[in-house]
Amino acid sequence: MTQPPKSSTAPPGSGVPTMPALPPQSGRSGAPAPRRAPDTAPARRTALAEGVDQLRAAATTEPGRLRAIGALLALLVVAFGAVTAWQTDSRASAADDVLHHSQPLSSDAADIYRSLADANTMAATGYLAGLQETQDTRKQYEDDIKTAAAKLVTAAANTDPGTSSAAIITDLNELLPQYKGLVESARANNRQGFPVGGAYLRAANDTMQNQMLPKAQDLYKNENARLSTDYGNAKPYPWFAIALGLVALGGLAWAQRRNYQRTNRVLNHGLVAASATTAVVLLWVVVGHTVARAGLDDSYDHGVKSLNVLHDARIASLKARSDENLTLVSRGAETHELADGTVMDAYDWGYDQQIAALGKGLKLADSLADDSAGRKPVAVANSSMTVWISRHKQVSEHNNAGDYQAARDGVIGKDGATAECFQAVDASLDTALKHETKEFQRSAGDGLDAMTGLTVGAAVLAVLGAAGAVLGIGRRLSEYR
Amino acid sequence: MRARDDFLRRLRAVRRLRISLKGWGGVGAMAAVCVLAVAFVLLLPLTQSRGEAGADLGGQRTTQGVQARAPKCDESTVQNQSPAPSDAGGTTIDAIKARGVLKVGVDQNSYRWGYRDPNSAKGDLAGFDIDLVTAIAKNIFGSAYTDKSIQFLAIPTNERIPAIQKNRVDMVVRTMTITCKRAGQVAFSAPYFVTGQQVLAPKVSSITGYNDTLANKRVCSAKTSTANDSLNADKGKKIPASVTIMDPVPNQLDCLVKLQLGEADAVVTDGALAASQAAQDPTVELKGSPFTTEYYGVAMNLKATDLVRRVNRILETYRTSPDGWRASYTKWLLPTLRADSKSANPPVPQYK
């Protein structure tokens, strides 16, 4: 089946430059060609010349034309199937990458970002508690460091060397032990009652907030860019395949009309079957892609967008919490001057910035949430944040009045402390993130499912269609024997 | 010619004034002379430039230059400007007594001076400055003194003066050096501690003090500190030009961190804070003797003269009482500053 189309397609293609081959209908003009051939290049031209001769000879007779038409139709249908399979496969694999590769990596990068911010918060909380540091805080700090280290390894394995992500991962791998060293020095000095421990903790916090977190954020942005690229590759319609499908259908229709005009027979079973399979593949491609696009769009609008906003909000709440702790640890060691000349504690100022960012993030997350299950945890986070702000105000009053003990209890104490509020915010954001991840996976999964089997289906159907075309033409051809 | 006449007339006037002021003491007379001399120098270019366009600017520049140099306050004697001690009460003291709480701005991060012990259950403040605050509060409240009589407020270094001016605190006892600039903004008590800028380096270091041994070394200092100013002024003069003055850090303790991490070779800060750093790390020590002389004073509001006099009276007793200055020094500072330091004895006060 594959051999005839190849030899028959070559002449129309290569026939353009060879001038004598152009008018295939005139039988006489074919005769001089073989005679001229041995004169110029007898050895080289034989294969091509023979094919051209055969086709020329064939084109003069009806069976010859039928053979050419059959070959062309089969070729069109097979080409349509092949292009469809190729184009849908690249899209399906991009969609698969979205679901199983780039989104998980983006989420891993978000986890690195979050773990680092959380570790910093836990270190500050533990330091503030001094000898009363709880086992939980300590364990969470260690777990965060472990998570960050492990996810950095995963990220490194999925990153090409020489990219900006690879450089970021290298930097983070260098900074992480450095950060941990500073935290341990802070802890050791604090245990001996040396205030230099606070300076170490500020140095650690500075390393984290000004070097590591911005890098982790860049990594997260890079992974999100990769995710967007995969989305971009998965979403466009396979226009080439669709156009080829239309051409194949057109060709089949023309062949049937020609057949009807010459024989007055309405139906040729083979050609009808070929048309039907081609139409089915074409429909499948268009409908499947439309559904897949809808799923992917949905997963982006309701999944990825919400996830990004929620991740950012969570980081803001973590930073606000570590700044709140550090205000009491640094005790005025660093100041920030506002535009109007007012001097504020640098960490108290940092807290104000982060809480404002959290508020904005929650508002945006609420507007992006598309169902009550998504909106509810955001609302809980929002109300917890309101309580946090009011409690923090009390803490500030205690601190400004010199009641350090009350201020400390207000931050890390058991009842009525801002610790509860922070935990509530963090837990609700975690719930919201889990919900949106599920939403994402469902939508993207639906999109991917819409493309399932399309590649194999298109290939198989195309082969069947081509067979139909050949059989249909063959049936007509048999009438000449 | 007219200018020279002017000059002679003025000189005669100055001489007359000097005689009449003799009884007022040298300082006042000298100040008056200076003011007159300034006035003269100001007039000289102006009289000459009358009618001459463009010379005005030069005249003004001279004006500013001379005014800035006018010795209104001498840094070496500014610690002697506090009013004489007195037991008398006054509006400020009455207000504090009525309130029942003495609001004091302190440091919470200066080990051995004012710091919170993270391991004490209550997280109380302790240190040399805190002992002094307690002595002051005990005297002011007398029998009414309780452990709730003092409200300690942690204030950043650059907030010390605004906190006093805005009456957020009654006084600041926070390793605060008496300087001319500050003396114009707040009222200082008589000095309670003498110290000076000093070099801190690892015991094994080849650095011996604020001298040539600092060549090719990285030196750390705090932002807007005397140490940072001195380093920049002395580079290439008292200390070699090869010294690397590191970017100033937000807090002097950050220098100890850099020293311990090996990012700095030496720290320059005042002796008291250097001693506080040395107390937190047995591998570092003070090198050489202080290369400046500075006095710590209790800072109060300019209007609170009654409180300033009272604090000066309290300091008099505190200096001599066995459980006062000496006991506090022995407890907090002797281990790192040692007994032969010039800080080892309270400064002798002189009053205005």
Side-chain angles (χ1 to χ4, degrees):
Chain A
M1 264 337 263
T2 43
Q3 204 56 25
K6 254 188 191 160
S7 57
S8 59
T9 35
S14 59
V16 181
T18 16
M19 284 304 283
L22 252 178
Q25 296 291 345
S26 56
R28 297 286 171 267
S29 63
R35 216 176 293 148
R36 215 194 300 154
D39 290 348
T40 46
R44 267 169 62 206
R45 282 200 58 193
T46 40
L48 185 68
E50 255 169 50
V52 173
D53 288 349
Q54 274 174 8
L55 198 82
R56 252 179 223 140
T60 54
T61 59
E62 177 62 13
R65 282 185 207 122
L66 279 174
R67 269 194 202 100
I69 290 167
L72 202 67
L73 285 179
L75 183 80
L76 267 177
V77 175
V78 166
F80 167 55
V83 170
T84 306
W86 164 58
Q87 286 201 310
T88 51
D89 184 57
S90 72
R91 279 159 183 73
S93 73
D96 190 67
D97 278 353
V98 165
L99 185 60
H100 296 122
H101 191 71
S102 47
Q103 202 283 331
L105 281 179
S106 156
S107 145
D108 271 3
D111 279 344
I112 294 172
Y113 194 16
R114 189 199 61 79
S115 305
L116 290 176
D118 196 59
N120 198 42
T121 307
M122 289 308 126
T125 309
Y127 187 94
L128 187 58
L131 290 186
Q132 292 116 53
E133 179 180 9
T134 60
Q135 199 60 40
D136 290 349
T137 316
R138 175 85 200 169
K139 189 175 176 303
Q140 198 173 331
Y141 166 79
E142 294 292 351
D143 287 350
D144 283 331
I145 296 285
K146 267 184 221 157
T147 307
K151 300 243 167 178
L152 275 173
V153 173
T154 326
N158 285 291
T159 305
D160 299 324
T163 57
S164 71
S165 291
I168 290 170
I169 292 166
T170 310
D171 288 347
L172 283 176
N173 271 326
E174 279 169 17
L175 285 166
L176 190 60
Q178 214 173 309
Y179 170 80
K180 206 163 183 272
L182 290 172
V183 170
E184 295 312 327
S185 296
R187 204 189 299 269
N189 275 293
N190 197 36
R191 294 211 156 198
Q192 301 204 56
F194 296 154
V196 73
Y200 268 105
L201 192 70
R202 281 189 292 111
N205 179 67
D206 185 65
T207 308
M208 179 58 81
Q209 291 215 4
N210 296 329
Q211 294 187 58
M212 299 175 75
L213 290 184
K215 281 185 203 295
Q217 192 177 19
D218 285 346
L219 183 67
Y220 178 46
K221 277 184 187 155
N222 282 355
E223 295 296 358
N224 269 348
R226 169 144 70 173
L227 178 62
S228 295
T229 311
D230 283 343
Y231 264 112
N233 290 338
K235 273 169 55 183
Y237 279 108
W239 289 117
F240 187 33
I242 292 170
L244 212 55
L246 289 173
V247 170
L249 269 183
L252 285 164
W254 172 79
Q256 281 169 92
R257 187 166 168 274
R258 184 178 183 275
N259 194 28
Y260 167 71
Q261 280 171 340
R262 303 215 168 186
T263 63
N264 245 357
R265 290 186 197 127
V266 180
L267 284 177
N268 176 304
H269 295 293
L271 289 179
V272 168
S275 306
T277 50
T278 307
V280 165
V281 173
L282 194 58
L283 261 179
W284 192 356
V285 167
V286 173
V287 172
H289 261 278
T290 310
V291 173
R293 273 170 70 94
L296 288 172
D297 279 339
D298 200 45
S299 76
Y300 188 78
D301 291 340
H302 298 303
V304 175
K305 264 195 202 168
S306 295
L307 283 173
N308 284 351
V309 169
L310 287 170
H311 277 308
D312 287 347
R314 200 169 188 195
I315 298 292
S317 94
L318 285 166
K319 281 186 181 171
R321 179 65 183 161
S322 61
D323 280 343
E324 184 176 46
N325 279 297
L326 275 158
T327 307
L328 295 185
V329 171
S330 87
R331 301 162 199 143
E334 267 183 76
T335 51
H336 178 89
E337 194 175 329
L338 303 181
D340 65 353
T342 324
V343 176
M344 272 186 89
D345 185 278
Y347 298 100
D348 210 19
W349 178 78
Y351 163 87
D352 287 349
Q353 307 303 305
Q354 298 304 337
I355 278 285
L358 173 62
K360 250 186 231 164
L362 289 179
K363 218 174 189 181
L364 196 56
D366 182 62
S367 70
L368 283 173
D370 57 328
D371 55 3
S372 62
R375 233 171 275 130
K376 207 182 140 203
V378 175
V380 173
N382 202 39
S383 61
S384 307
M385 182 190 72
T386 315
V387 181
W388 185 0
I389 292 171
S390 73
R391 284 188 188 176
H392 179 84
K393 224 172 145 193
Q394 272 183 321
V395 168
S396 287
E397 275 161 22
H398 284 310
N399 195 33
N400 291 339
D403 197 346
Y404 183 78
Q405 198 54 42
R408 199 172 83 152
D409 288 345
V411 171
I412 54 169
K414 285 212 166 62
D415 298 316
T418 55
E420 288 177 345
C421 310
F422 160 73
Q423 278 152 11
V425 170
D426 198 57
S428 343
L429 284 177
D430 191 53
T431 314
L433 276 165
K434 280 193 179 124
H435 172 76
E436 294 299 340
T437 306
K438 233 186 266 165
E439 287 279 282
F440 162 82
Q441 279 165 347
R442 194 174 48 73
S443 302
D446 286 353
L448 186 61
D449 286 349
M451 286 198 251
T452 311
L454 190 48
T455 307
V456 178
V460 170
L461 282 176
V463 169
L464 289 177
V470 168
L471 285 174
I473 297 290
R475 181 149 173 78
R476 268 280 290 134
L477 211 54
S478 62
E479 288 162 12
Y480 288 88
R481 276 172 200 162
Chain B
M1 261 309 154
R2 218 167 80 198
R4 179 168 289 181
D5 283 347
D6 239 332
F7 175 72
L8 289 173
R9 216 180 305 134
R10 248 149 241 284
L11 210 68
R12 276 198 293 277
V14 167
R15 221 171 274 152
R16 271 202 304 276
L17 207 83
R18 197 183 277 168
I19 294 160
S20 72
L21 281 175
K22 228 171 200 169
W24 287 77
V27 178
M30 277 311 290
V33 169
C34 290
V35 168
L36 279 170
V38 168
F40 166 69
V41 175
L42 290 185
L43 279 169
L44 199 66
L46 282 177
T47 48
Q48 277 180 339
S49 69
R50 210 165 281 163
E52 269 175 53
D56 260 9
L57 201 72
Q60 274 172 357
R61 209 178 289 144
T62 321
T63 312
Q64 284 165 355
V66 171
Q67 273 182 343
R69 251 179 275 137
K72 272 156 67 186
C73 167
D74 190 340
E75 293 285 358
S76 62
T77 54
V78 64
Q79 74 278 5
N80 300 335
Q81 298 298 310
S82 197
S86 158
D87 271 328
T91 48
T92 322
I93 296 175
D94 290 346
I96 293 167
K97 279 184 173 165
R99 197 199 300 139
V101 166
L102 179 69
K103 291 193 280 187
V104 191
V106 292
D107 193 353
Q108 307 198 356
N109 295 318
S110 289
Y111 193 51
R112 303 279 159 96
W113 284 90
Y115 76 105
R116 265 182 207 289
D117 184 354
N119 302 326
S120 87
K122 286 166 75 188
D124 281 343
L125 283 159
F128 188 84
D129 275 345
I130 306 301
D131 282 355
L132 176 58
V133 173
T134 313
I136 293 171
K138 276 183 178 159
N139 178 288
I140 289 177
F141 293 113
S143 56
Y145 175 84
T146 66
D147 58 354
K148 292 214 159 65
S149 297
I150 311 170
Q151 189 176 33
F152 288 109
L153 296 164
I155 48 170
T157 310
N158 53 4
E159 275 296 279
R160 294 185 291 198
I161 288 172
I164 295 169
Q165 288 176 329
K166 290 174 191 159
N167 282 317
R168 273 188 273 140
V169 292
D170 298 313
M171 59 181 66
V172 164
V173 188
R174 192 188 185 285
T175 57
M176 192 168 176
T177 305
I178 305 171
T179 65
C180 283
K181 191 173 167 238
R182 289 172 184 165
Q185 298 166 317
V186 294
F188 280 106
S189 71
Y192 67 86
F193 196 81
V194 58
T195 179
Q197 299 295 319
Q198 214 165 347
V199 176
L200 181 85
K203 279 179 180 165
V204 294
S205 166
S206 59
I207 295 167
T208 58
Y210 196 68
N211 53 32
D212 287 347
T213 55
L214 285 174
N216 299 314
K217 302 289 186 193
R218 297 160 298 170
V219 184
C220 180
S221 56
K223 224 178 261 176
T224 66
S225 66
T226 316
N228 190 243
D229 295 344
S230 306
L231 281 167
N232 284 309
D234 295 340
K235 187 171 171 172
K237 293 168 203 153
K238 272 167 98 176
I239 53 172
S242 62
V243 169
T244 307
I245 303 170
M246 298 171 62
D247 281 343
V249 293
N251 188 285
Q252 44 92 16
L253 262 183
D254 298 332
C255 277
L256 181 59
V257 171
K258 294 210 179 285
L259 197 66
Q260 291 182 343
L261 293 177
E263 291 170 17
D265 300 310
V267 176
V268 176
T269 180
D270 71 48
L273 294 175
S276 150
Q277 295 189 5
Q280 299 179 59
D281 185 346
T283 69
V284 301
E285 65 182 3
L286 298 167
K287 299 278 189 180
S289 48
F291 59 90
T292 61
T293 303
E294 290 171 20
Y295 295 90
Y296 288 166
V298 178
M300 286 153 281
N301 196 293
L302 277 175
K303 289 178 193 144
T305 315
D306 56 330
L307 185 62
V308 179
R309 286 180 191 277
R310 173 68 76 92
V311 169
N312 282 346
R313 167 70 73 216
I314 297 165
L315 279 173
E316 273 191 337
T317 335
Y318 191 65
R319 267 183 222 108
T320 48
S321 122
D323 57 348
W325 200 97
R326 180 65 51 200
S328 190
Y329 183 86
T330 309
K331 181 174 178 191
W332 300 113
L333 304 172
L334 189 66
T336 43
L337 280 174
R338 294 189 293 271
D340 57 353
S341 161
K342 76 171 173 184
S343 303
N345 290 298
V348 181
Q350 284 180 48
Y351 304 100
K352 197 153 59 175

